[in-house]
Amino acid sequence: MKKDFAYAVELPYWQAPNDDLVLKSQGDSLTAFFKIWISPSRYSRFTGIFDFSCVWAVRYERNKELSYYNERDDDDFVSCYWVVPESSWLEKLKKERCSFFPEWEKYDVGEYFHYIIQSDSFYVEIIAKDIKISRRKLGVLY
């Protein structure tokens, strides 16, 4: 597999494409809230939620092009997030961590993944062990 090739994973909800994410971080968890459409420009009473656990690193960058990763799956999903299975960023983080704590993998068990979620004009990249996607009625958000 090519390094930094991202593949799309379809979301179970239609993320409103012109709205920003609301990010909430606590400890090693990151939660991103997004508005849901039930049809074009018609909002649902529910808010979508990305819950990331065992977060190692987060970065975000303003969109430079239509797709942040030039090399990614073409898809016809109305909404998705991406996973980068051969991530140079994750590889760099692991090497850096090994230089300070060579046996860290004996104590930090489990596999980390490189996820990408999209806000209106930003991509948010997360290195974490797990992602859960759900929805909640509006008004009971944060």
Side-chain angles (χ1 to χ4, degrees):
M1 183 166 284
K2 271 184 156 175
K3 188 149 308 275
D4 294 324
F5 182 85
Y7 69 86
V9 178
E10 187 172 20
L11 285 173
Y13 317 110
W14 188 351
Q15 181 179 353
N18 298 332
D19 287 285
D20 289 317
L21 294 169
V22 174
L23 300 175
K24 179 183 174 187
S25 175
Q26 184 174 357
D28 69 348
S29 297
L30 177 73
T31 304
F33 300 92
F34 60 93
K35 292 182 180 177
I36 296 174
W37 278 0
I38 52 176
S39 61
S41 298
R42 188 165 168 235
Y43 289 93
S44 168
R45 293 177 298 163
F46 292 90
T47 296
I49 303 167
F50 292 105
D51 274 315
F52 295 94
S53 59
C54 300
V55 173
W56 182 347
V58 177
R59 65 184 183 189
Y60 65 93
E61 186 170 355
R62 186 171 297 281
N63 299 356
K64 295 177 186 172
E65 299 175 19
L66 291 177
S67 63
Y68 184 72
Y69 283 90
N70 290 329
E71 305 238 1
R72 67 174 181 87
D73 272 338
D74 285 331
D75 60 75
D76 57 358
F77 302 144
V78 291
S79 294
C80 67
Y81 65 95
W82 295 274
V83 177
V84 183
E86 296 292 327
S87 167
S88 58
W89 181 35
L90 178 54
E91 189 176 287
K92 179 183 172 194
L93 289 171
K94 286 180 177 181
K95 285 179 184 175
E96 184 179 85
R97 196 170 186 187
C98 277
S99 71
F100 295 104
F101 187 38
E103 298 183 7
W104 70 272
E105 289 182 291
K106 290 182 181 178
Y107 307 100
D108 188 354
V109 294
E111 188 175 354
Y112 285 96
F113 300 93
H114 181 172
Y115 300 100
I116 305 168
I117 58 177
Q118 187 172 336
S119 193
D120 174 42
S121 56
F122 284 86
Y123 286 94
V124 182
E125 299 182 69
I126 301 104
I127 301 292
K129 288 185 181 176
D130 194 30
I131 181 175
K132 289 190 173 105
I133 299 161
S134 62
R135 67 182 188 164
R136 190 179 307 156
K137 277 199 176 185
L138 285 175
V140 193
L141 269 185
Y142 330 113

